[in-house]
Amino acid sequence: MSKAAGQPSRRARRRLLIDLTPLRRSRDFRLLVSGELVSVLGTQLTTVAVPYQVYQLTRSSLAVGLVSITQLFPLIAGSLLGGSAVDAMDRRRLLMAAQVLMAACSAGLAVNADLDPSSPALWPLFVLPALAAGFSGLDSAGRNAIIPNMVRRSEVSTANAIFQALFQLGLVVGPALAGLLLEGAGARFVYWLDVASFGVALLAVFLISPQPAGEPGHRPGLRSIAEGLRFVRGRQAIQGAYLIDINAMVFGMPRALFPALATTVFGGGASTLGFLYAAPGAGALAGALTTGWVSRIQRQGLAVIIAVIAWGAAITCFGLVSWLPAALALLAAAGCADVISAVFRSTIIQLSVPDALRGRLAGLQIAVVTGGPRVGDLESGVVAAAFGDTFSVVSGGLACIGGALVLARLLPGFRRLRIDPGPHQATAGLGVTTTGQRTPSSGHAHSQPASG
């Protein structure tokens, strides 16, 4: 092949694959990414181990869903209050405190498993993950708020894509590894590994440069949170990005049913469960690593709607199959659609939020992204208890599609949204067009990598 013929192919690959320039340019960003990678892997181990233990003790998908819903209110409160705090306090110190608190929760789960390996107490499996969820809201809001301070403004969207890939890698490797470890070493070993992962994350945060408050003199609290919520009022672009993700996760994420499906439909054990949890992450990782094309899409609101409909369709089909390879392929397809939705939703919010509200809007975004699946766990568990696991999965997928169509109809400002960021422009000053007029945008808000 001639040199001239090879150059277009190399350029095409560069346009398709993630740009890693922020990692090469910023030491602080490398440290943040490295610590978060280890922490995400450890957290995913616990994410699988807790529902596995609960199902082994109760044999109830509803109980698994209830474990997740108990995390909802601490998570929302931690995200909102944490977002308020990161605009007012030293962000590095807040992140260090969050690592210690979350490590203590995982250590409590490990001790519970150590005391009686054959029949651990059930209540710590509800209480400790709920506390950890609250602390994780503070952790995520702090990380999201400091990212724009570590990279160039023009690289914020690239940094978002890197974190999406990192998070999805954790979703792939973590659950699959958890399944193998649960079958071999047991839950207590999994929990102690999670504690160690928080130690690595703590060291990484300690080594980054000081991260002062985003708004000196700002006082965290309910009034500060209300200020962030008032900003969202009347802005259909941001409302649509939040609401369509809630719709997808409440109706279209049947993860609370995975323990039951692994046993009853697919005839497997802990390893099968790990693969079910890992499959959406595998598809999302593939999607995240090939997001170089998304900058050319201008109708980003419409793109989110299409991606969520694709997610719902894949979940519906997943509920209709009983062959494990086909089920894993459908979950992977759903994960790919999900990460595309997440990238576009992040971009919409980043170009619509002023810098002074970065922490608070990041906290709200985290509450939406991570709170929705908890409600979805309860919804799928309740429907499964009443009508069966298959009906719960299929009806949830169809409801997800219907909800996306309803939101597209009710929020024309979201459906008609146009964004033309330009590949080399800084994020500040870019406009978002919904009715033909150009509106100024200042600042950014990094979205927590979502599972929806």
Side-chain angles (χ1 to χ4, degrees):
M1 179 183 295
S2 67
K3 181 178 180 180
Q7 287 178 346
S9 177
R10 287 193 294 271
R11 286 196 296 267
R13 285 196 297 270
R14 285 197 296 268
R15 288 195 298 267
L16 181 66
L17 299 179
I18 287 180
D19 182 6
L20 300 180
T21 300
L23 288 174
R24 294 192 293 268
R25 197 191 307 276
S26 172
R27 170 187 174 273
D28 284 344
F29 187 67
R30 285 197 303 273
L31 287 168
L32 191 71
V33 167
S34 301
E36 182 71 355
L37 175 60
V38 177
S39 178
V40 165
L41 288 172
T43 299
Q44 288 305 312
L45 296 179
T46 296
T47 298
V48 176
V50 169
Y52 176 74
Q53 275 195 301
V54 170
Y55 189 74
Q56 290 297 310
L57 290 170
T58 65
R59 296 293 173 178
S60 169
S61 292
L62 178 59
V64 175
L66 290 174
V67 167
S68 187
I69 200 65
T70 58
Q71 301 173 28
L72 176 61
F73 294 106
L75 177 60
I76 292 175
S79 298
L80 295 178
L81 291 173
S84 176
V86 299
D87 281 341
M89 302 172 66
D90 184 278
R91 292 159 175 175
R92 185 179 67 164
R93 292 182 180 179
L94 285 174
L95 286 175
M96 292 173 63
Q99 308 315 305
V100 174
L101 292 170
M102 289 188 291
C105 293
S106 293
L109 291 170
V111 171
N112 181 55
D114 278 332
L115 292 176
D116 190 354
S118 62
S119 182
L122 185 60
W123 68 263
L125 297 171
F126 283 81
V127 174
L128 292 173
L131 291 174
F135 300 140
S136 72
L138 169 63
D139 175 70
S140 298
R143 291 180 187 276
N144 293 351
I146 65 176
I147 286 174
N149 298 330
M150 295 181 170
V151 301
R152 296 179 177 179
R153 286 182 178 269
S154 59
E155 295 171 346
V156 172
S157 59
T158 302
N160 288 338
I162 291 172
F163 263 85
Q164 284 285 350
L166 176 155
F167 185 72
Q168 301 306 334
L169 178 63
L171 287 180
V172 174
V173 177
L177 180 60
L180 298 175
L181 291 174
L182 285 170
E183 217 163 33
R188 57 183 178 177
F189 182 74
V190 168
Y191 294 136
W192 284 122
L193 276 182
D194 192 17
V195 174
S197 76
F198 284 121
V200 174
L202 175 62
L203 177 61
V205 173
F206 175 77
L207 293 174
I208 68 175
S209 304
Q211 299 292 325
E215 187 179 352
H218 162 71
R219 296 183 62 181
L222 296 180
R223 182 175 298 179
S224 171
I225 295 171
E227 182 182 354
L229 294 175
R230 282 196 298 270
F231 179 82
V232 179
R233 185 186 306 163
R235 290 174 167 84
Q236 289 192 3
I238 301 178
Q239 292 171 354
Y242 290 156
L243 291 175
I244 201 166
D245 183 57
I246 294 174
N247 163 73
M249 292 299 99
V250 169
F251 296 114
M253 170 52 84
R255 65 180 186 180
L257 306 181
F258 285 175
L261 294 172
T263 303
T264 61
V265 175
F266 302 111
S271 59
T272 299
L273 173 63
F275 289 133
L276 289 176
Y277 275 114
L285 177 60
L289 292 175
T290 54
T291 51
W293 55 273
V294 298
S295 62
R296 298 191 291 275
I297 303 299
Q298 296 184 15
R299 295 287 300 275
Q300 299 207 3
L302 181 61
V304 172
I305 294 168
I306 294 172
V308 170
I309 291 173
W311 161 275
I315 293 298
T316 301
C317 295
F318 164 73
L320 297 174
V321 302
S322 57
W323 185 43
L324 182 60
L328 296 177
L330 287 166
L331 288 176
C336 183
D338 175 49
V339 81
I340 298 304
S341 167
V343 168
F344 285 127
R345 284 185 286 106
S346 296
T347 302
I348 291 169
I349 294 171
Q350 287 165 350
L351 299 183
S352 305
V353 176
D355 183 73
L357 293 171
R358 182 188 300 163
R360 280 159 282 182
L361 270 292
L364 179 59
Q365 173 72 353
I366 294 159
V368 168
V369 168
T370 54
R374 270 71 179 184
V375 180
D377 288 342
L378 179 61
E379 182 274 337
S380 58
V382 169
V383 175
F387 302 103
D389 296 332
T390 297
F391 181 88
S392 178
V393 176
V394 174
S395 64
L398 294 175
C400 173
I401 296 172
L405 294 174
V406 169
L407 288 172
R409 175 68 177 176
L410 294 179
L411 299 174
F414 176 61
R415 184 181 72 248
R416 298 169 184 167
L417 176 71
R418 289 182 179 272
I419 297 179
D420 185 14
H424 301 298
Q425 289 178 283
T427 306
L430 292 179
V432 178
T433 303
T434 57
T435 60
Q437 296 180 338
R438 194 168 177 82
T439 57
S441 172
S442 60
H444 328 275
H446 175 77
S447 170
Q448 164 76 5
S451 57

